[in-house]
Amino acid sequence: MTRLLVSVVDSAEAGLALAQGADLIDAKDPEAGALGALPLATIRSIQAGLPEDTITSAVAGDDDDVERLADSALAIATTGVTFVKLGLGRTMAQPASVAALGRRLAGHGRFIAVLFADENPPLSLTAALHEAGFVGAMLDTSQKRGIRLPDLLTMDQLGSFVAGCRQLGLMSGLAGSLRIEDIAPLAALGPDYLGFRGGLCLAGNRRGQLDPQAIGRAARRLQAVRHGEQAA
């Protein structure tokens, strides 16, 4: 069952997103890039303001150095979030780097690798991620200029990625300047999560405020897709 991930910048947005139907609250700083990490204190504040059973994640950045990225991820894991997301750019999206990250992170949390579709990542990297101990893999975009994930990869490629994750027991996610109208075709591929920020913000500005009405529409659209109904 595909669920709705909404990226938030603080505890107020986290509460709003949860109230409007988000399934996973994702802590991220849109001012610091595609996977900008928030301060640890902010992540802890977000976590503390949510019900204990809320599924949460926080991003650790997309550093091209194994040690720095691992250190960031390990620090964020101490905040108590359910998952920590690591961006793997061109340098890091290699089996050797993935293996090195896995050794540094082993036993310290549940980590999800994020591959950037606009950097031509090897989608077969999922096997190395599984071997290294990652619990999930997502596709996103590094350049937030309105180019959507479906503009970069075909539905066949996206479907193959999701199916490959499922076969390996990895949680899967699709994100990257998605719009509400992308929900139905992407959910049909069966990812565990569809991730949103800009598409659910006022005026589509990912650095601006979340729009509660847009979050509600996205949640209803996804619920309708789950039940095979006409989207609300």
Side-chain angles (χ1 to χ4, degrees):
M1 181 174 66
T2 303
R3 296 174 173 86
L4 178 65
L5 177 157
V6 178
S7 294
V8 306
V9 301
D10 55 28
S11 57
E13 283 197 346
L16 182 153
L18 187 65
Q20 293 299 322
D23 299 297
L24 190 157
I25 303 300
D26 176 58
K28 179 166 65 175
D29 182 2
E31 296 286 351
L35 283 187
L38 287 167
L40 295 180
T42 303
I43 298 172
R44 290 193 176 98
S45 175
I46 291 171
Q47 188 76 2
L50 295 168
E52 289 187 4
D53 61 350
T54 306
I55 302 173
T56 57
S57 64
V59 303
D62 56 354
D63 202 298
D64 60 2
D65 179 87
V66 168
E67 294 302 318
R68 288 196 301 263
L69 185 57
D71 285 346
S72 176
L74 291 170
I76 289 174
T78 67
T79 64
V81 292
T82 313
F83 304 107
V84 179
K85 294 162 56 184
L86 294 81
L88 305 186
R90 289 188 179 91
T91 301
M92 300 298 291
Q94 306 294 333
S97 297
V98 167
L101 279 170
R103 289 191 292 271
R104 289 278 281 110
L105 301 176
H108 295 287
R110 305 177 73 190
F111 301 96
I112 296 173
V114 181
L115 306 178
F116 297 118
D118 44 356
E119 295 185 357
N120 194 30
L123 301 186
S124 59
L125 194 66
T126 50
L129 293 170
H130 176 259
E131 180 69 22
F134 284 80
V135 301
M138 291 188 68
L139 288 173
D140 203 335
T141 55
S142 63
Q143 300 298 318
K144 302 301 183 181
R145 298 174 181 171
I147 299 177
R148 299 151 47 246
L149 180 67
D151 297 328
L152 297 165
L153 296 173
T154 67
M155 296 301 284
D156 284 346
Q157 288 174 309
L158 295 173
S160 177
F161 172 80
V162 170
C165 287
R166 187 182 302 116
Q167 290 172 358
L168 292 166
L170 293 173
M171 187 178 71
S172 63
L174 302 177
S177 300
L178 299 183
R179 303 169 187 160
I180 292 176
E181 55 264 34
D182 292 317
I183 289 176
L186 293 181
L189 302 177
D192 292 291
Y193 288 97
L194 293 178
F196 287 83
R197 172 69 192 179
L200 301 183
C201 285
L202 295 170
N205 178 11
R206 67 188 297 270
R207 297 183 178 182
Q209 297 179 337
L210 283 172
D211 180 352
Q213 294 185 349
I215 300 171
R217 287 196 300 273
R220 291 191 299 273
R221 182 73 58 90
L222 190 49
Q223 185 176 24
V225 170
R226 291 171 184 157
H227 293 88
E229 303 167 355
Q230 183 67 34

